[in-house]
Amino acid sequence: MPKKLKHLKVHPFLLSFPQILWVLILPSQIVSAQKNTTIPVNVGVVLDMDTWIGKMGLSCISMALSDFYSSHSDYKTRIVLNNRDSKKDVVGAAAAALDLLKNTEVQAIMGPVSSTQAEFINDLGDKARVPVISFSTTSTFLSPLSSPYFIRATQNDSSQVKAISSIVKAFGWREVVPIYVDNQLGQGILPFLTDAFDEIKARIPYRSVIPSLATDEQIVAELHKLMTIQTRVFIVHLLPSLGSRLFAKAKQLGMMGAGYAWICTDALTDELNSIDPSIIDTMQGVLGVRPHVPNTAELQSFIKRWKLKFQQSNPDIVNPQLNVFGLWAYDSATALAMAIEEAGVSNIGFDQMSDISGNSTDLESFGVSRNGPKLLQAILGTAFQGLSGDFNIVDGQLESPVYDIVNVIGNGVKEIGVWTADKGIVRQINPITIKKLGTILWPGDTATPPKGWAIPKNGKKLRIGVPVNARFSQLVKVTRNSQTNTTMVEGYCIDIFDAVMALLPYAIPYEYVPFATSDGMSAGNYDDLAYQVYLGNFDAVAGDIAITANRSLYVDFSLAYTESGIAMIVPTDNQSRNTWIFLKPLTWDLWLTSFLAFIAIGLLIWVLEHRINDEFKGPPLHQIGMILWFSFSTLVFAHKEKIVSNLARFVLVIWFLVVFVLTQSYTASLTTRLTVQQLQPTIRSVDELIKTRAYVGYQNVSYLSKNLLQMGFDESRLVAYHSPEELNDLFTKGSRNGGIAAVFDGIPYMKLILGTYCSKYTMVQAKYKTDGFGFAFPIGSPLAPDVSRAILNVTQGSQILEIEKKWHLETSSCQDYSASSTPGSLDIGSFRGLFLIMGITAISAFIIHWTMFLYEHWNVVTNYNSSTWDKIIGLSRCFDCKDVISHTFRKPDMRVAKTTTGGDKEVSCCSHCPGSPVTISLQASPDTNPSFSSRMEHNLTISEQHEIPSYESESPNQEGNTHQ
């Protein structure tokens, strides 16, 4: 190299310019390379290209891919659609799928439209490990569990049955008839409908099957069958092509009028927007369910773009209407594009199966996709917010959404409510409002909900079975006229049934049919009669049939219209009498307490009256007799002694109250016991009958024989009777002489027997219970609830009294007695309050009296020269003496005092009261004769030697004579 070149300096900019140029050119080259390196992925589309769903689905799939890749231009993969027409045929769909798998080696297949086509394609997809994504096959026969490469990007038909059953439950319908197509679409949903209706106690009396290729004549024939049954609630599960013809014929036959209820599944409801308006006119008032689609701005924008593009591709279709199947097709294509990018799928060839023989058919000659397993997992893990709502695959199918409940009104549908799995039926989903539907226009332009059933106009009368029973003719009596060959049925039960049927809000023709053999005898017992309803020989049973658990297994009963329970009737014991029954009203402790109270009150009154009342004085035996006489005479208020002490009077007032309450309570209790004793049952309990092995009776056709065995009776001790007269004879004989000791039966029967033999027998309640008489209907009959409501109106009004009076079943004057009817004895606890008041009063009076007495004779108590015993004797002598200073002994012309001063003469009133002299001072008035004072002083002086037999002054006449 020349030396000059070695020292040549190059400018730094010249050295970096190529690098800068490369940086500026490289990004555009990279972008161009990326555009040229996108990976195409073949995806097959198998649809019925001539059907509405096929055309709509294909257009939505194309728009979904266009929208997706325009917003995700950086994705490496690009789906290339390979469309095939299945030509509405299973073989055509299979051939198209086979071609895609063998020749094109597609990585996934979208479609087909129908469930029957999908069943065959799923098998091919499983064998080739190619995911099959369907947006329109709803049959329950297609299960991702049995076809692991099958992905249902739509709703399973079974997901809507809960919404339908909620509607049925909301209106109280008891019977529904499903109308479904005779293929996999219809047959698959039926088990789920049956289970859902069983949960709400709704019955399916008939299943209407429409052939998939049914003619108009076949549809009309099936509708005629529906008109002959009572049920008026129909669940329609048909495709639009068949469903539109069904409603057109139903309109012609008058089945779209008032009283009918029609509910469509989403198979028809989803496409109501695309059905001809003339068909919509025949469906006025129909309800339907469909998956809920959120009304978003994105959805409205897409609908506008879709209509524009679709009409450009299909100019012959006017005003196309997009439905949920198109939205599911759009979301399915979006999910597939996301999954392919996520899994990194490429168009690598299939692995050929090594076990294919040389003479294998086309069905065996295709290979297995290498991308299938990872693409399947990518699809199952894809979740996003699509046009139809949340797109989330759970267990191989789209997660169950919320369902809209719509009503066909005018030229379209009106949303009247929403059903959710957790909230049930609500007015709208957000926010959650009241749990009921909006206003509904029912068939016939009425707002009144159909009752769900009706008597067919061309149907037969209801056959009401009645028992042939001559034992109690008041209940049911069947009379046959051999000359006219007619039968008359009457009785209490029949009148009740007629009254109930007359109160129903609709007219029901019916006739009574005796349950009898050709010779007029009973054809069986009451269990057999009820079973005839289950067999369909009778539409109902009216009569004296009791409601039991066993019978309720095969019939539905109305509410009971008679008193419930089983009673026991036994003879009354009119001979035996209890000699000591008068002692039973009170317990022994109350008797003893009352006796001691009488003695105590007598002693207290004697203490209070002894010193001041001559009637309570006298010899000791006389005073003892007076105490007893006075105390017990107060029991009947027969005492004649005059009471002068205020304390004694107060005590007696309280005592009279106690005596009055005690005697009245005793009288009431004794009266009850004597009344009960007049009709006391000879047998008091079931246990007594079982223990003594007595014979008991029951009706020969009654269900009670089984119940008596369950209660513990020996079968050899049960005696069947046929009439009340025979029952009376059995009672007359008695259990020891071939008769019975008791009889068991329903209370209505027992009342009839007591009405005839009121004085001879009495009713004792037994332990076993029943629900009385009721009317029997087939299980799930919609007539039973209405009859029960009518029974309440009859039994709670005056009509029941008139019917009872007509058949002499009014409330019997005979009383019912049980072993526990005898009243218990009164104990002291019942009168504890009265005795407490009486005790306080008596003790208070006693304390006050003795306080006053001791105060008057305090000099005796304080006499220190006397011993305690002497003091007690002295006080006793003072108590035994008359209290001459008492107002009861005082005279108007004498002044009495304990002590006097001023020269008065002091004398003792009672010599037996030592140390407590009672002196009497007689002070003459100025005009009194002095000789009177002298004589009184002399008399008093003499009387001191005795017990003062008399201290009274002379009579006025004597005094006057003295003055003279």
Side-chain angles (χ1 to χ4, degrees):
M1 178 180 294
K3 188 175 181 180
K4 293 182 178 180
L5 294 177
K6 293 181 179 179
H7 298 280
L8 182 64
K9 293 183 179 180
V10 182
H11 195 277
F13 176 78
L14 297 177
L15 293 176
S16 62
F17 178 76
Q19 298 176 354
I20 295 173
L21 183 63
W22 174 256
V23 171
L24 294 176
I25 297 175
L26 181 61
S28 61
Q29 291 178 341
I30 293 176
V31 172
S32 178
Q34 286 180 344
K35 290 183 179 180
N36 296 328
T37 59
T38 55
I39 303 173
V41 179
N42 289 321
V43 172
V45 178
V46 180
L47 298 172
D48 296 333
M49 298 301 179
D50 291 336
T51 63
W52 168 249
I53 291 183
K55 294 179 180 180
M56 176 184 61
L58 183 60
S59 64
C60 290
I61 291 173
S62 300
M63 290 186 67
L65 297 178
S66 176
D67 293 344
F68 181 80
Y69 289 123
S70 64
S71 61
H72 298 83
S73 58
D74 57 330
Y75 276 25
K76 296 181 180 180
T77 57
R78 294 292 186 273
I79 291 178
V80 178
L81 297 178
N82 297 268
N83 304 328
R84 298 292 187 272
D85 186 5
S86 59
K87 301 178 181 180
K88 304 179 184 179
D89 184 64
V90 176
V91 177
L98 188 61
D99 175 62
L100 291 172
L101 293 173
K102 181 179 180 181
N103 300 323
T104 311
E105 294 186 344
V106 294
Q107 303 301 317
I109 296 177
M110 299 192 67
V113 172
S114 68
S115 300
T116 54
Q117 295 173 358
E119 185 175 8
F120 197 95
I121 295 179
N122 289 346
D123 292 338
L124 297 177
D126 291 339
K127 189 172 183 180
R129 297 181 184 177
V130 172
V132 178
I133 307 172
S134 176
F135 58 86
S136 61
T137 55
T138 60
S139 173
T140 58
F141 285 120
L142 300 175
S143 173
L145 298 178
S146 58
S147 300
Y149 280 85
F150 169 64
I151 300 173
R152 193 202 310 268
T154 181
Q155 293 301 318
N156 190 331
D157 282 337
S158 62
S159 62
Q160 62 186 317
V161 297
K162 293 290 186 180
I164 296 174
S165 64
S166 296
I167 298 175
V168 174
K169 182 179 179 181
F171 293 100
W173 295 324
R174 300 295 301 276
E175 288 187 353
V176 294
V177 172
I179 304 175
Y180 58 95
V181 63
D182 188 16
N183 58 18
Q184 286 188 357
L185 175 68
Q187 296 170 358
I189 195 176
L190 190 60
F192 299 95
L193 279 176
T194 303
D195 293 341
F197 291 142
D198 285 343
E199 291 180 3
I200 62 172
K201 308 301 181 184
R203 194 169 66 97
I204 299 178
Y206 178 74
R207 300 176 183 182
S208 179
V209 183
I210 307 295
S212 57
L213 301 177
T215 63
D216 290 348
E217 290 75 14
Q218 290 176 310
I219 295 176
V220 171
E222 188 62 31
L223 291 176
H224 276 298
K225 291 181 183 179
L226 298 180
M227 295 177 65
T228 60
I229 63 176
Q230 296 181 4
T231 308
R232 290 293 180 265
V233 181
F234 305 112
I235 311 299
V236 181
H237 186 57
L238 301 173
L239 291 175
S241 58
L242 194 56
S244 59
R245 294 166 56 201
L246 175 78
F247 281 106
K249 296 302 178 183
K251 178 76 172 180
Q252 295 176 5
L253 296 176
M255 298 180 67
M256 299 304 297
Y260 285 88
W262 298 82
I263 303 176
C264 295
T265 64
D266 59 359
L268 183 56
T269 309
D270 284 335
E271 301 191 39
L272 288 178
N273 292 333
S274 58
I275 292 180
D276 188 87
S278 62
I279 300 300
I280 294 294
D281 184 62
T282 65
M283 299 177 62
Q284 295 299 302
V286 173
L287 299 183
V289 296
R290 66 184 183 187
H292 176 75
V293 176
N295 188 14
T296 61
E298 183 182 1
L299 174 63
Q300 296 302 323
S301 174
F302 172 75
I303 292 176
K304 294 179 181 179
R305 292 190 296 112
W306 174 83
K307 282 187 176 183
L308 180 62
K309 183 176 180 179
F310 188 84
Q311 286 185 330
Q312 291 175 355
S313 304
N314 303 275
D316 56 327
I317 299 178
V318 180
N319 191 24
Q321 296 294 328
L322 182 67
N323 60 33
V324 71
F325 291 111
L327 300 180
W328 283 333
Y330 185 95
D331 291 342
S332 299
T334 302
L336 181 59
M338 295 172 64
I340 287 176
E341 181 69 20
E342 177 70 20
V345 176
S346 61
N347 277 329
I348 57 177
F350 283 17
D351 292 333
Q352 297 300 320
M353 300 177 63
S354 60
D355 56 348
I356 297 177
S357 61
N359 58 353
S360 62
T361 64
D362 287 344
L363 296 177
E364 299 173 341
S365 60
F366 56 83
V368 177
S369 173
R370 299 176 185 175
N371 297 314
K374 62 179 179 180
L375 177 58
L376 175 64
Q377 296 303 318
I379 297 174
L380 296 178
T382 301
F384 61 96
Q385 182 69 28
L387 293 179
S388 62
D390 292 332
F391 188 93
N392 185 25
I393 302 297
V394 179
D395 295 331
Q397 59 187 9
L398 195 63
E399 187 177 14
S400 298
V402 177
Y403 275 90
D404 291 334
I405 303 175
V406 298
N407 184 202
V408 179
I409 301 176
N411 296 325
V413 296
K414 172 188 175 184
E415 183 178 319
I416 58 174
V418 179
W419 178 87
T420 63
D422 54 341
K423 299 294 184 180
I425 294 177
V426 294
R427 182 67 61 85
Q428 60 186 27
I429 189 172
N430 193 16
I432 296 295
T433 55
I434 55 178
K435 293 188 175 183
K436 69 175 185 179
L437 295 171
T439 303
I440 301 175
L441 180 66
W442 298 98
D445 294 332
T446 177
T448 303
K451 63 178 179 292
W453 71 281
I455 300 299
K457 296 181 179 179
N458 56 349
K460 298 179 180 179
K461 293 182 179 180
L462 294 183
R463 290 169 52 86
I464 310 300
V466 293
V468 179
N469 182 9
R471 295 164 302 156
F472 295 94
S473 58
Q474 299 98 320
L475 298 177
V476 179
K477 182 179 181 181
V478 178
T479 305
R480 175 175 294 182
N481 190 331
S482 58
Q483 296 180 353
T484 61
N485 196 24
T486 58
T487 302
M488 182 175 66
V489 181
E490 58 183 348
Y492 170 78
C493 299
I494 303 303
D495 284 357
I496 292 290
F497 187 81
D498 291 338
V500 168
M501 300 302 286
L503 288 179
L504 295 180
Y506 39 83
I508 297 181
Y510 61 92
E511 61 180 354
Y512 293 111
V513 180
F515 182 51
T517 59
S518 58
D519 57 355
M521 302 302 295
S522 177
N525 58 26
Y526 283 73
D527 290 336
D528 299 331
L529 175 59
Y531 196 69
Q532 297 302 309
V533 178
Y534 177 79
L535 297 177
N537 296 328
F538 292 135
D539 297 308
V541 168
D544 53 334
I545 178 170
I547 302 173
T548 63
N550 181 51
R551 293 170 184 167
S552 65
L553 296 177
Y554 45 88
V555 294
D556 277 351
F557 282 101
S558 67
L559 291 179
Y561 58 89
T562 62
E563 188 175 354
S564 62
I566 294 177
M568 177 177 70
I569 282 185
V570 297
T572 57
D573 186 7
N574 292 323
Q575 302 300 325
S576 62
R577 291 290 186 268
N578 192 341
T579 305
W580 302 101
I581 193 173
F582 70 93
L583 295 176
K584 296 295 183 67
L586 307 182
T587 58
W588 67 269
D589 55 342
L590 183 56
W591 276 116
L592 180 61
T593 303
S594 301
F595 177 78
L596 295 177
F598 275 98
I599 299 299
I601 293 301
L603 283 173
L604 179 61
I605 298 302
W606 177 80
V607 169
L608 298 178
E609 293 288 324
H610 178 67
R611 301 181 63 241
I612 61 176
N613 193 337
D614 286 336
E615 294 186 4
F616 288 85
K617 300 183 69 66
L621 291 178
H622 173 75
Q623 295 186 52
I624 293 174
M626 174 58 66
I627 292 173
L628 296 176
W629 156 254
F630 181 84
S631 61
F632 288 99
S633 65
T634 58
L635 183 64
V636 291
F637 308 102
H639 58 284
K640 298 181 180 180
E641 292 74 17
K642 182 179 179 181
I643 304 300
V644 297
S645 171
N646 287 331
L647 285 176
R649 291 170 179 172
F650 176 69
V651 170
L652 285 179
V653 169
I654 304 301
W655 175 245
F656 288 156
L657 174 63
V658 175
V659 171
F660 176 78
V661 173
L662 189 63
T663 54
Q664 293 299 314
S665 301
Y666 173 85
T667 302
S669 180
L670 181 60
T671 302
T672 303
R673 288 179 173 272
L674 292 175
T675 304
V676 171
Q677 190 184 40
Q678 293 178 1
L679 292 176
Q680 194 69 19
T682 55
I683 302 295
R684 295 176 177 271
S685 67
V686 175
D687 295 335
E688 185 177 351
L689 288 171
I690 298 175
K691 184 177 180 180
T692 58
R693 291 181 57 81
Y695 287 93
V696 296
Y698 69 97
Q699 289 192 58
N700 64 322
V701 294
S702 174
Y703 61 92
L704 281 178
S705 59
K706 297 179 181 179
N707 296 334
L708 292 176
L709 294 177
Q710 295 175 357
M711 294 167 66
F713 286 99
D714 191 341
E715 187 174 4
S716 62
R717 297 291 168 174
L718 303 182
V719 179
Y721 73 93
H722 300 78
S723 65
E725 293 75 17
E726 182 182 0
L727 177 63
N728 183 48
D729 294 338
L730 291 173
F731 270 131
T732 303
K733 293 178 181 179
S735 180
R736 297 181 179 180
N737 301 315
I740 60 176
V743 64
F744 290 85
D745 217 325
I747 291 180
Y749 297 117
M750 298 293 95
K751 287 188 174 182
L752 288 173
I753 295 174
L754 289 180
T756 306
Y757 306 101
C758 181
S759 61
K760 298 179 65 176
Y761 310 114
T762 185
M763 184 185 300
V764 180
Q765 295 292 336
K767 299 178 181 179
Y768 199 83
K769 298 294 183 181
T770 62
D771 290 333
F773 294 163
F775 303 123
F777 297 91
I779 292 180
S781 172
L783 188 59
D786 292 342
V787 168
S788 296
R789 283 186 285 269
I791 286 176
L792 293 177
N793 292 329
V794 173
T795 55
Q796 294 178 2
S798 60
Q799 193 172 9
I800 186 68
L801 301 177
E802 298 175 359
I803 298 175
E804 289 179 348
K805 184 176 181 180
K806 174 183 176 182
W807 296 102
H808 308 289
L809 289 175
E810 63 272 10
T811 304
S812 175
S813 59
C814 297
Q815 298 183 6
D816 300 341
Y817 296 92
S818 64
S820 60
S821 61
T822 302
S825 300
L826 299 173
D827 57 10
I828 193 172
S830 305
F831 304 95
R832 185 178 290 110
L834 283 176
F835 283 118
L836 179 62
I837 295 174
M838 186 68 252
I840 294 175
T841 303
I843 293 173
S844 301
F846 183 80
I847 292 175
I848 293 174
H849 174 77
W850 278 103
T851 301
M852 295 174 61
F853 176 77
L854 293 177
Y855 178 77
E856 293 176 359
H857 302 84
W858 190 248
N859 57 341
V860 177
V861 178
T862 58
N863 187 359
Y864 299 104
N865 296 325
S866 301
S867 64
T868 302
W869 180 250
D870 291 337
K871 294 178 181 180
I872 294 174
I873 294 176
L875 290 175
S876 300
R877 290 177 178 176
C878 292
F879 177 76
D880 192 48
C881 292
K882 283 186 178 182
D883 187 4
V884 295
I885 65 173
S886 173
H887 66 280
T888 58
F889 300 123
R890 190 180 305 168
K891 296 298 180 179
D893 55 353
M894 299 175 58
R895 291 187 304 153
V896 181
K898 290 183 180 179
T899 59
T900 58
T901 57
D904 293 332
K905 179 67 177 178
E906 296 183 359
V907 295
S908 175
C909 294
C910 181
S911 61
H912 298 289
C913 184
S916 181
V918 179
T919 59
I920 301 177
S921 176
L922 300 179
Q923 185 176 9
S925 61
D927 56 349
T928 303
N929 192 336
S931 63
F932 172 74
S933 300
S934 301
R935 290 198 305 272
M936 282 300 298
E937 181 179 350
H938 175 73
N939 292 335
L940 291 175
T941 303
I942 296 174
S943 64
E944 288 179 1
Q945 301 176 3
H946 306 284
E947 194 181 350
I948 311 181
S950 175
Y951 62 91
E952 296 179 358
S953 62
E954 298 178 355
S955 65
N957 292 335
Q958 294 176 342
E959 184 179 355
N961 294 335
T962 304
H963 285 295
Q964 293 177 358

